Amino acid sequence: MVKGSNYFKKNWQMYSMIVPGLLFFVIFKYIPLAGSVIAFQNYTPFKGITGSDFIGLAHFEQLFSYPEFYRVLRNTLLISLYQIIFGFPAPLILALLLNEIRKVFVKRIMQTVLYVPHFLSWVILGGMMISLLSPDSGLVNHILNAFGLKSVFFMQQPEYFRSIVVLSGIWKEVGWGTIIYLAALTGVNPELYEAAEVDGASKLRQVFSVTIPALLPTIMVLLLLKIGHILDLGFEQIYVLLNPLVKEAGDILDTYIYEVGLLSGKYSYTTAIGLFKSIVGLVLILGANTISKKTTGDSIY
């Protein structure tokens, strides 16, 4: 016990760096979990958590009896699936391309340009997307007109909305997502590339035989984390791009919680939805982690 105490005293600077992170999770993640109890209450702000009536699983029964909930859940799952299929590989592909640039100056300029959208809010990027897709003054429709095609009302047609969400999400985060992959690429042994080159492997062959296997643990961890947040699309992006004409195809759980919970005052009902999202995310990440550990040997824990 004394030995352990001396160890902490000797390394107190290192452990003190953990304190802000621990406080963040305790204050903003663990303590608010106590508020989840209102999902099982008929909560009213005037009575508070301790004074509201306990009604058990009534809100969950109501949740699964609403046809509107299944529409919103379907939209959320479809957009998440598209983001995994098209959005998840995008940073990896871009990182592989950037890694082939040998001129450091050019590489840094391209990285800076690609990182910029990440630091812009969705209000700005959403406005830019709406302007680019405008039927009158948008660049995309000007290009279509130049080829003799008619202007398309992209933001008013439900069939285009999910594609717009996925593409705008890639535009914003693809550059920032390359940071982890580029960092992992620095750890690849250069001798492996030299050996592959001696064996006559082309650049593309080296990517599939050397680079991808070296990045596989990183890819699996990021994919598992993505699967765990499959129902968390983010409120800002959808809310900025959403309009009444595409609401049928674009309304997701986050926007539904905002409208029903904050605007309509159904706090207990929307807390039940949030609890449902958390449970689904937990089950998915535990299941995906188990499958990944058994098949590839790579996992989060």
Side-chain angles (χ1 to χ4, degrees):
M1 188 71 179
V2 176
K3 185 178 178 180
S5 177
N6 291 333
Y7 175 79
F8 283 108
K9 287 181 179 179
K10 184 178 179 181
N11 299 280
W12 69 269
Q13 298 96 334
M14 182 179 65
Y15 284 98
S16 64
M17 296 175 64
I18 305 175
V19 173
L22 288 175
L23 288 175
F24 171 82
F25 279 100
V26 170
I27 296 172
F28 296 104
K29 299 295 182 180
Y30 289 104
I31 293 178
L33 285 175
S36 299
V37 70
I38 69 174
F40 307 96
Q41 296 178 327
N42 187 18
Y43 174 78
T44 58
F46 302 102
K47 293 183 179 180
I49 295 177
T50 56
S52 298
D53 299 327
F54 183 81
I55 58 174
L57 299 175
H59 291 300
F60 291 93
E61 295 173 359
Q62 180 184 5
L63 177 67
F64 294 111
S65 64
Y66 273 12
E68 187 178 6
F69 170 74
Y70 291 100
R71 174 184 63 82
V72 174
L73 180 62
R74 177 176 174 272
N75 291 339
T76 305
L77 290 173
L78 281 175
I79 295 175
S80 290
L81 183 63
Y82 296 154
Q83 286 183 342
I84 291 175
I85 295 173
F86 300 105
F88 182 77
L92 174 61
I93 296 170
L94 182 59
L96 294 175
L97 295 173
L98 288 173
N99 192 54
E100 294 301 319
I101 299 176
R102 295 293 172 245
K103 292 187 177 181
V104 179
F105 178 72
V106 176
K107 186 176 181 178
R108 286 177 178 175
I109 291 177
M110 292 191 67
Q111 284 180 295
T112 302
V113 172
L114 292 167
Y115 293 166
V116 168
H118 172 79
F119 297 99
L120 300 177
S121 69
W122 273 114
V123 175
I124 297 172
L125 286 178
M128 292 174 67
M129 285 296 298
I130 293 171
S131 298
L132 287 170
L133 299 175
S134 171
D136 300 321
S137 58
L139 177 63
V140 176
N141 277 304
H142 279 316
I143 294 173
L144 293 177
N145 296 152
F147 285 95
L149 301 174
K150 294 182 179 180
S151 296
V152 180
F153 291 78
F154 290 102
M155 298 302 300
Q156 286 77 38
Q157 298 187 30
E159 59 267 26
Y160 292 114
F161 183 79
R162 293 172 187 145
S163 300
I164 293 170
V165 169
V166 174
L167 289 174
S168 61
I170 293 173
W171 176 31
K172 188 176 190 297
E173 299 296 343
V174 67
W176 189 254
T178 60
I179 293 176
I180 296 176
Y181 291 115
L182 289 172
L185 283 169
T186 60
V188 182
N189 191 346
E191 293 180 0
L192 295 175
Y193 292 106
E194 294 173 4
E197 197 170 341
V198 170
D199 290 339
S202 63
K203 285 290 183 182
L204 186 61
R205 185 63 184 174
Q206 290 177 33
V207 168
F208 286 101
S209 299
V210 179
T211 310
I212 298 296
L215 291 178
L216 192 58
T218 304
I219 294 171
M220 290 306 302
V221 169
L222 293 177
L223 180 59
L224 289 172
L225 293 174
K226 184 72 175 177
I227 291 174
H229 291 278
I230 198 168
L231 295 182
D232 295 321
L233 287 178
F235 170 78
E236 297 88 352
Q237 179 189 10
I238 304 296
Y239 189 73
V240 167
L241 298 174
L242 198 63
N243 63 72
L245 295 175
V246 297
K247 193 176 180 65
E248 191 69 23
D251 201 13
I252 63 170
L253 285 172
D254 293 321
T255 54
Y256 182 69
I257 288 172
Y258 170 73
E259 292 176 0
V260 177
L262 293 181
L263 300 185
S264 301
K266 297 180 180 180
Y267 304 111
S268 295
Y269 176 64
T270 49
T271 301
I273 298 176
L275 203 55
F276 167 76
K277 286 175 55 181
S278 300
I279 293 172
V280 170
L282 178 62
V283 171
L284 286 175
I285 198 168
L286 290 176
N289 187 75
T290 303
I291 295 172
S292 176
K293 184 182 289 186
K294 290 182 178 180
T295 54
T296 68
D298 298 313
S299 60
I300 299 176
Y301 57 89

